[in-house]
Amino acid sequence: MTDKLWGGRFTETGSDRVQAYGASIASDQYMIAEDIQASIAHAKMLGQQAIITSAEATQIVAGLQAVRADFESGVATLQIAQEDVHMNVEVLLTEKIGPVAGKLHTARSRNDQVATDFHLWVANRLPHIIETIKQFQKTLLQVATDNQATLMPGYTHLQHAQSVTFGFHLLAYVGMLTRDVERFEFNMQHTKVSPLGAAALAGTTFAIDRTMTADLLGFDDVYHNAMDAVSDRDFAIEFLQSAAILMMHLSRLSEELILWSSYEFGFVTLSDAYATGSSIMPQKKNADFAELTRGKTGRVYGDLMGLMTVMKGLPLAYNKDMQEDKQGVFETYTTIMDALFVFDGMFATLQVNRDVMSESTHNDFSNATELADYLANKGLAFREAHAIVGQLVLQGIQTQVNLQDMPLAELQKASELITDDVYQILQPMTAVERRTSVGGTAVTEVSNQIKFYQEQLGE
Ligand code: ARG
């Protein structure tokens, strides 16, 4: 017999290095609060069901609370030799209350225990994520509100396409973030389900009350099949999927910030607090935090692919492979919370160079669609109008004159339908103002969109 909690049938233990390889305490120690929370619920239920005496239950609960206090004050130490958080807590509990601690593991296995802890860990954090995304949405909405009438080029293929406003552009991200919130809310449904009481894989012979522990722990339901309960990690994968999509959104926004703050664009200036310099080139101001977020997105995708790959070949039920499930989730949680925090500050302090943005819409051919629409409104088939304007654009490129700067006689050579009123139509702000269709970039429409999102955010 060895000194492990499971040591009865063992005569030898591995070297320190071998034990460290098998241990998960380095990562699952971050679930100690949830582990103790779940054990307290389990002990109360054992007492209630008279599986242990109520005096024993009371003793165990008090002991667990004392272990929690020791851990919080830094007195308790966790040991690799005890392998994981569950056995470390049991050993600490035994030190506190003696052999009665051994009754806590009645009608329970580490398989349902770890699943329960992990569900609780994710469930406890989802509301913070949702709140933090909403905070960032509010900041974006503020910048959008301040820039409802800030002209900027709208792009397709990263080429000037049609003029829009900066406020309109930012609202696209507010929409993405709303879907992120909804994904994390949905993630909650599969996370708030209790595996506790599934025991190792097949349920237990003890008369446990799974609903009682589920209620005590704030779960909405219990897993209806014990084998599913101990082998399911869908909730963690869904968490990582939601996080990966959120990071994809932040990464696209990062890419735009990097472009916008470049010398060539000059659309925005990042606050010094959200940029860094170069150790050799004194003039440099780099959008490091945006770049880093774009980079960290790769790691979050990796965490998602990592867990999907861990799970894909596992026969039911628990396999030790599943011990590799937590690190990526913990790491991803920190990454998304930090990224949202940084982005919130970065946008709250962002300087928008309105003149540069606006100027950029006046020196291009992004009003070509306006002219084609103008001709189509005067009765030409749109295809024909498109061809005529295409010719004018070619001519403009060759002579370096924009459409709005061409003399009327020149324009009329292309089509007699063009009259003096065309110049108003060719103004970028007119192009914006006329796009009043639902979801369009017109200032009035953007203000409707802002109202919609403000209401959604309860503002
Ligand atoms: N440390 C383990 C994990 O994280 C706990 C479950 C161990 N169960 C077992 N049957 N070995 O997965």
Side-chain angles (χ1 to χ4, degrees):
M1 168 159 174
T2 69
D3 61 359
K4 301 286 176 200
L5 286 180
W6 37 254
R9 55 104 72 215
F10 286 81
T11 53
E12 257 187 291
T13 41
S15 69
D16 287 353
R17 190 165 175 186
V18 169
Q19 288 188 50
Y21 186 78
S24 57
I25 190 65
S27 57
D28 62 21
Q29 60 175 294
Y30 298 108
M31 302 195 305
I32 194 165
E34 285 79 10
D35 192 72
I36 292 173
Q37 187 190 0
S39 286
I40 288 175
H42 183 67
K44 285 182 178 168
M45 184 278 295
L46 291 177
Q48 163 88 28
Q49 296 297 99
I51 296 167
I52 60 176
T53 68
S54 57
E56 288 165 340
T58 308
Q59 227 182 326
I60 291 171
V61 170
L64 286 166
Q65 284 162 344
V67 170
R68 176 160 56 199
D70 279 0
F71 189 76
E72 282 166 0
S73 65
V75 186
T77 48
L78 303 169
Q79 293 165 11
I80 288 178
Q82 302 308 335
E83 197 174 311
D84 58 26
V85 68
H86 324 293
M87 293 195 290
N88 267 280
V89 168
E90 192 174 325
V91 167
L92 291 169
L93 181 67
T94 309
E95 281 165 19
K96 285 270 175 225
I97 62 171
V100 66
K103 295 208 166 187
L104 172 61
H105 213 54
T106 314
R108 183 176 83 169
S109 154
R110 275 186 298 155
N111 298 348
D112 60 338
Q113 198 182 354
V114 70
T116 304
D117 294 2
F118 200 18
H119 276 73
L120 283 175
W121 193 94
V122 175
N124 288 341
R125 278 152 191 83
L126 285 172
H128 296 300
I129 298 172
I130 291 168
E131 205 179 302
T132 309
I133 298 174
K134 287 182 175 174
Q135 169 51 46
F136 180 42
Q137 283 186 295
K138 287 178 189 170
T139 299
L140 281 182
L141 271 183
Q142 187 54 54
V143 184
T145 305
D146 297 342
N147 290 283
Q148 291 177 69
T150 304
L151 272 176
M152 82 177 275
Y155 297 85
T156 62
H157 313 269
L158 200 58
Q159 308 281 345
H160 284 206
Q162 292 171 346
S163 295
V164 296
T165 66
F166 187 48
F168 174 73
H169 192 123
L170 290 182
L171 288 179
Y173 285 98
V174 177
M176 295 177 215
L177 292 166
T178 291
R179 293 192 294 277
D180 290 321
V181 165
E182 287 166 0
R183 263 183 288 274
F184 282 112
E185 280 169 353
F186 177 74
N187 188 193
M188 197 61 136
Q189 287 180 35
H190 287 166
T191 305
K192 288 183 88 173
V193 183
S194 176
L196 195 55
L201 74 161
T204 173
T205 56
F206 291 96
I208 59 170
D209 182 348
R210 292 188 62 204
T211 310
M212 176 180 170
T213 45
D215 286 346
L216 285 174
L217 295 171
F219 287 116
D220 295 334
D221 201 356
V222 299
Y223 276 87
H224 295 280
N225 175 284
M227 214 179 237
D228 185 28
V230 289
S231 51
D232 172 40
R233 293 295 183 269
D234 290 0
F235 69 100
I237 292 170
E238 285 170 3
F239 169 82
L240 291 169
Q241 283 174 338
S242 308
I245 297 174
L246 166 67
M247 286 302 286
M248 175 188 75
H249 294 152
L250 295 182
S251 185
R252 293 182 77 174
L253 187 50
S254 297
E255 174 64 14
E256 304 221 84
L257 274 180
I258 294 161
L259 286 172
W260 293 339
S261 63
S262 68
Y263 179 79
E264 284 72 13
F265 278 75
F267 286 2
V268 299
T269 306
L270 294 168
S271 151
D272 281 1
Y274 291 96
T276 50
S278 155
S279 57
I280 173 171
M281 298 165 283
Q283 86 287 6
K284 286 302 289 288
K285 179 169 170 182
N286 301 324
D288 276 24
F289 294 93
E291 291 174 37
L292 209 44
T293 304
R294 196 175 54 185
K296 283 178 186 286
T297 302
R299 288 254 298 263
V300 170
Y301 287 6
D303 290 336
L304 169 62
M305 291 321 291
L307 184 51
M308 301 242 293
T309 311
V310 163
M311 295 304 293
K312 80 176 181 60
L314 298 187
L316 300 184
Y318 179 85
N319 298 269
K320 185 77 165 180
D321 313 45
M322 290 162 76
Q323 181 164 290
E324 292 293 313
D325 59 358
K326 287 172 267 327
Q327 235 172 320
V329 168
F330 296 170
E331 178 195 60
T332 281
Y333 174 72
T334 305
T335 301
I336 61 175
M337 290 298 275
D338 287 350
L340 287 165
F341 177 80
V342 167
F343 265 66
D344 189 53
M346 199 148 57
F347 273 87
T349 56
L350 190 70
Q351 178 188 314
V352 182
N353 301 327
R354 298 196 172 95
D355 295 346
V356 181
M357 276 191 188
S358 169
E359 184 55 26
S360 174
T361 66
H362 286 86
N363 275 318
D364 64 9
F365 290 92
S366 61
N367 50 5
T369 314
E370 307 318 303
L371 187 52
D373 284 354
Y374 172 90
L375 291 172
N377 269 317
K378 293 208 170 185
L380 270 193
F382 184 78
R383 274 290 146 247
E384 208 181 321
H386 188 288
I388 290 172
V389 179
Q391 292 279 299
L392 276 172
V393 168
L394 181 62
Q395 184 186 323
I397 292 168
Q398 285 160 352
T399 56
Q400 293 188 3
V401 183
N402 293 320
L403 294 174
Q404 69 272 27
D405 300 325
M406 291 181 182
L408 189 59
E410 203 65 43
L411 293 170
Q412 283 173 339
K413 264 190 229 160
S415 168
E416 284 167 2
L417 293 172
I418 300 178
T419 51
D420 204 28
D421 59 349
V422 77
Y423 292 106
Q424 186 55 37
I425 293 291
L426 291 175
Q427 287 306 309
M429 200 58 200
T430 310
V432 164
E433 284 297 17
R434 295 181 71 220
R435 286 194 161 63
T436 52
S437 53
V438 172
T441 189
V443 177
T444 46
E445 181 46 34
V446 166
S447 121
N448 288 337
Q449 295 168 35
I450 290 173
K451 263 186 236 127
F452 170 82
Y453 288 119
Q454 274 170 341
E455 268 164 38
Q456 198 172 62
L457 289 165
E459 290 213 298

